[in-house]
Amino acid sequence: MRQVAIIGIGQTKIDEHWDKSLREIGGDAAFAAMQDAGMEKVDSLYVGNMLSSMLSGQNQLGTFFSDWIGLWKQEAVKIEAACGSGAAAFRSALMAVASGDTDSALVVGVEKMSDKAGRDVTAALATAADADYEAEQGITFVGINALVMRRYMHEFGWKHEDFAPFSINAHANAMHNPYARLHEKINLEKFENSSMVATPINLMDASPIGDGAAAAIIVPAEKVMRKPKIVVAASAAATDTIAVHSRKDPLFLQAAYSSSRRAYEMAGVTPADIDVFELHDAFSIMAALSLEASGFAERGQGVRLALENRISPQGDVPVCTRGGLKARGHPVGATGMYQIVEVVQQLRGECGETQVDGARIGMAQNIGGSGATILTHILKKEE
């Protein structure tokens, strides 16, 4: 297998883009990545998306975007893995380039969510849950995460306010990210007083959806002359039961544990070597569970990392350095690619006020459903 490097990245601001279509949003990110890479053509296109058929009435996104951006005749496919679609598309492209099947691939994660009513979006998102035993019973993803969070608090003795530093950190970092949706600092008082959604989850525990796209171009590492060179050191994926109640332990992300352990082994690193971790904080409880399953904290102690201010860009476990899902926004099928792009920015030293000093190894972890599909990627900087 050939070593693969990321040669170009691009992204759009996450927002309610009433003036732009699905194709324009995805196209903007793709063109930005090609410009950054100094390339006009690629051999293949991989699109990560979850909801286009339900919210935009459009399937066949591979050809849809290849036609729009002028990549005729090349291979082009859509990859779907719920909220993990972006990273799943990246992994598929990676396998193609690493195997020698193709010499360059453009990966675009894209989602447009603001053109439908909230109830329609909620129903569409619920299709990532177990249709028979979760969605059919009327429970939503915020409801599922609320049940998990309530049980976590009961088992380990944490209070709701103890989760506040996750959101406070995300919002503080998003202030310096022009592509983030929420540019507003919050404090403990605002966290505690925000509207309740599903007890104990309130608005400040939950990530906002939106329209957005992020993209990257990958090629064999030997062909990259640009310095620093950002190589893909590891790519791993794992699954768990689709329904949370079917798991042996609903408070442990087994797929995060499995994929991160395999990624560490592939990259030849340990959690202590990771300089920046872009985790999937769709809800604050997921941030704690991801830190624990990925080896950064003991069971039930993920919250402590945030309380001790260890997750800030100046801490020893920097997470969500560009705002995370909580403040950058969560256009579901695009989120995994935003994470990849943000790790590349950190390793290139392009993050300004939220730059992690000396960042050389970064990890991105993208979650589909309530931990049913989890993909972990590790990137390294080579001078």
Side-chain angles (χ1 to χ4, degrees), residues 80-100:
E80 184 275 315
C83 304
S85 298
F90 184 81
R91 178 170 163 79
S92 296
L94 177 67
M95 294 300 105
V97 176
S99 69

Side-chain angles (χ1 to χ4, degrees), residues 151-284:
R151 187 65 189 179
Y152 184 94
M153 292 164 62
H154 170 76
E155 290 287 343
F156 300 112
W158 298 108
K159 298 175 292 185
H160 178 253
E161 66 185 45
D162 294 330
F163 290 83
F166 285 118
S167 298
I168 293 171
N169 173 68
H171 276 259
N173 292 339
M175 293 292 294
H176 306 287
N177 180 4
Y179 299 100
R181 177 161 190 185
L182 303 180
H183 292 124
E184 177 184 4
K185 286 188 176 182
I186 64 170
N187 54 25
L188 177 59
E189 181 181 10
K190 182 159 188 175
F191 177 87
E192 280 290 277
N193 292 334
S194 65
S195 301
M196 190 60 63
V197 182
T199 308
I201 289 177
N202 65 21
L203 280 176
M204 291 297 105
D205 286 299
S207 57
I209 59 173
D211 307 332
I217 294 177
I218 57 175
V219 298
E222 62 191 28
K223 295 187 177 182
V224 177
M225 298 296 107
R226 178 176 187 166
K227 298 295 183 180
K229 182 187 297 186
I230 310 301
V231 300
V232 182
S235 173
T239 58
D240 202 342
T241 63
I242 192 167
V244 174
H245 65 256
S246 297
R247 296 173 192 169
K248 181 178 180 180
D249 185 351
L251 299 183
F252 188 71
L253 295 177
Q254 182 61 47
Y257 175 84
S258 298
S259 66
S260 64
R261 287 307 178 279
R262 185 177 175 208
Y264 295 145
E265 183 179 353
M266 293 173 64
V269 301
T270 69
D273 297 314
I274 302 299
D275 297 312
V276 58
F277 181 24
E278 292 303 328
L279 53 75
H280 192 100
D281 59 330
F283 300 96
S284 54

Side-chain angles (χ1 to χ4, degrees), residues 368-380:
S370 299
T373 301
I374 301 184
L375 302 102
T376 302
H377 288 94
I378 294 177
L379 309 182
K380 288 184 178 181

